[in-house]
Amino acid sequence: MMSAVNMPGAGVGAAGAGATATDELFFLTADEINARVLSGDLTARQVADAFLARIDAVDPELHIFNQVTPELARTAADAIDAAIAGGADADELGPLAGVPVAFKDNMNLLGTRTTCSSRILENYESVYDCTAVRRLLDAHTIPLGKLNMDEFAFGSSTENSAFGPTKNPWDPTRVPGGSSGGSGACVAAGLATITLGSDTGGSIRQPGCFTGTVALKPTYGRVSRYGCVAFASSLDQIGPFAHTVRDAAYTLNAICGHDPHDATSVDAPAQDFAAACDLDPAGLRVAIATDMLERAGLDPRIKQGVLDAAEMLSRAGAEIVEVTLPSTDYGLSAYYIVGPAEASSNLARFDGIRYGVRATDADDVMDLYFRSRAQGFGPETIRRIMIGTYALSAGYYDAYYGQAQKARTVIKGDYDRVFAQADVLLTPTSPTTAFAIGEKSSDPLEMYLSDIFTIPINLAGVAGMSVPTTLIDGLPSSVQVICGHFNERQLFRAAAALERALDFPYASVPVATGTAGN
Amino acid sequence: MALTEADVRHVALLARLGLTDAQVAGLKTELNSILEHIDQLQHLDLDGVEPTTHAVPLTNAMRDDVVVPGLSQARALENAPEQRDGAFLIPRIVGPGGGA
């Protein structure tokens, strides 16, 4: 266990000895940091420097960052300070001005490498900006760097990173989840206030669960995917990690909306998701899936957490509806065809010709492909490419990909049926709390099974948020709040009400200060 | 139907992955385990069900037909492993010593 413990003040009311003004920053919410910067209580530069110093102290132990960007951070911070000195007010700068952010390392940002935690892209320099990243930076945030992940987002633990695993800030012997493990761990450890991740089958929500952070996968099409290296184009979606539901809402406000660079981004009407956090939950129709709660392998304490969450919303005036989702059983199978099939196609571009690592000893161009790809990709990436290529190959297409797309229709129909009678659905996010590093890495199928509750959400294209509930044996657990297509206002309404009732102690994370031996 | 090592090698060829014998043997076991699970889909009666390619119904997304700047040649070449005269350099593919 950890020896050096630092419990910054916000939320627990007890800053460590020798605390200074900036020591208390790390677990403030985005709106609290924003208020302090806009009021002149702190400069954005002080915020940037404080977080950069904390990253230096903490990251060597937890390995959350693939790249820290002090120059980009200080340049952005100085621009914010200059704007404030020039008279810019809250209306101009917005609710995220001065807030430190960081990005999963599959999102392009000029001036940074975008590695996808893969050897094949270890030296790849971004040549344009990801739209969601650009929009968050245009909201006057402070970019601190790029975050570790499972290679090309293939995984549920961040152990598949070519650069080594990220450790869970709540217990460094455990995984932070994945594939956006760095994004969850970064917020949990107080190394940034908001991060972005991407979610293809649970890659935002499951690390959100394991790290005790609020983590949202928006409706497919809500956020542009432009500039986020594609895994499965019909499933991928970018979303935020934050300490609070309201911070996630500010972030979605900033990054959502149509983008001409992504034809699948939907021109949905502008909605204020932060305002939705203040809506009264009375009258909300809340579904619980009784069959999902009976699944083998579900920790009974996590099941109880879902029932408790429903009870809390019921006490606040919500109406509880019991539903079933019989298609859950084959969601995993459909996903492990559709996901790898699309991935095998998307990853064909990494061939050592135009970018990425090229094998040096190739005889001819075919040999160059074989060697560059086999040397550049890690074992799980090779596995997914192989499954996907097989499922798409001559003679098997109809039996696998065609059948999976039909199953997807049935799964989507299940969720349409639920959201015809309820505004939101509550399920577990993960069947267990964070598992130990190494515990599941030898059996790919067992690792896949840990995503049973999150995968159908991507297949149906609806939105889901992991909301931290309580600590179980010192590790975070969560409930997944799901809503129908483009109905995130009801999701935020429910999640914010739950958050108020739950009061999850996110600032009590026992993060070592970097000098501790673990 | 279980995959053989020859099947694994054929798929690796399609995927342009130069695998070692040890990788082929390992993948044969792993892929068969995964496919065994996935094969439950074969038992579902999905006759007449329309396939879903995208979760959100979208028709063609059109934009105005106007010229806008794209990625510059210099930017596009920035990450090239080898380049010459503004082009990506690759091993010879035709003529003496050419592969394919």
Side-chain angles (χ1 to χ4, degrees), chain A residues 125 358 373 383 409 412, chain B residues 30 50 52 55 79 82 89:
Chain A
E125 295 286 342
R358 176 183 286 193
R373 287 166 63 79
R383 207 173 283 133
T409 305
K412 190 165 172 282
Chain B
E30 290 164 359
E50 284 293 312
T52 294
N79 286 286
E82 289 183 82
L89 195 62

Side-chain angles (χ1 to χ4, degrees), chain A residues 176-452:
Chain A
S179 67
S180 311
S183 303
C186 186
V187 171
L191 301 188
T193 310
I194 285 167
T195 61
L196 295 184
S198 63
D199 187 316
T200 306
S203 280
I204 289 174
R205 292 158 288 155
Q206 185 254 21
C209 174
F210 281 13
T211 62
T213 49
V214 172
L216 171 69
K217 185 208 86 76
T219 303
Y220 183 84
R222 176 69 87 178
V223 178
S224 167
R225 294 177 291 110
Y226 180 70
C228 179
V229 177
F231 163 177
S233 304
S234 79
L235 303 169
D236 297 345
Q237 192 64 192
I238 293 174
F241 290 78
H243 294 305
T244 65
V245 173
R246 185 180 299 273
D247 283 0
Y250 287 129
T251 311
L252 186 61
N253 280 348
I255 66 176
C256 73
H258 179 65
D259 171 17
H261 291 302
D262 176 4
T264 65
S265 67
V266 171
D267 205 357
Q271 295 178 315
D272 185 346
F273 301 110
C277 297
D278 297 322
L279 295 173
D280 187 340
L284 195 69
R285 297 170 305 160
V286 177
I288 52 171
T290 49
D291 53 346
M292 271 195 174
L293 294 176
E294 298 308 321
R295 295 198 69 84
L298 174 61
D299 185 323
R301 296 168 296 182
I302 292 176
K303 171 184 172 179
Q304 191 57 46
V306 176
L307 295 171
D308 290 347
E311 174 62 25
M312 286 171 188
L313 288 175
S314 173
R315 278 202 300 271
E319 172 198 343
I320 306 300
V321 188
E322 291 194 350
V323 298
T324 56
L325 285 154
S327 64
T328 302
D329 274 330
Y330 41 93
L332 194 76
S333 296
Y335 177 81
Y336 275 97
I337 295 170
V338 174
E342 295 186 13
S344 70
S345 174
N346 276 322
L347 269 62
R349 73 193 60 175
F350 302 108
D351 56 8
I353 301 295
R354 289 153 299 157
Y355 36 69
V357 172
R358 176 183 286 193
T360 53
D361 46 357
D363 299 331
D364 55 38
V365 75
M366 193 64 122
D367 193 40
L368 188 153
Y369 297 149
F370 287 143
R371 288 174 188 263
S372 299
R373 287 166 63 79
Q375 291 168 15
F377 291 140
E380 181 64 22
T381 301
I382 287 177
R383 207 173 283 133
R384 303 272 182 127
I385 291 173
M386 291 290 289
I387 298 170
T389 304
Y390 176 67
L392 292 176
S393 64
Y396 297 100
Y397 180 92
D398 286 339
Y400 285 110
Y401 195 65
Q403 189 80 348
Q405 286 189 310
K406 289 180 179 177
R408 194 172 173 185
T409 305
V410 176
I411 292 160
K412 190 165 172 282
D414 257 8
Y415 283 85
D416 288 345
R417 191 169 45 76
V418 166
F419 292 120
Q421 46 182 321
D423 300 305
V424 295
L425 166 68
L426 303 184
T427 75
T429 309
S430 163
T432 66
T433 55
F435 46 88
I437 292 173
E439 185 180 334
K440 297 192 179 189
S441 51
S442 61
D443 184 350
L445 188 59
E446 197 189 338
M447 186 78 87
Y448 299 171
L449 287 167
S450 71
D451 296 331
I452 188 86

Side-chain angles (χ1 to χ4, degrees), chain A residues 114-134:
Chain A
T114 299
T115 72
C116 294
S117 289
S118 179
R119 287 283 169 223
I120 208 162
L121 287 178
E122 64 185 341
N123 299 316
Y124 181 81
E125 295 286 342
S126 309
V127 294
Y128 63 97
D129 286 338
C130 170
T131 297
V133 168
R134 187 69 259 153

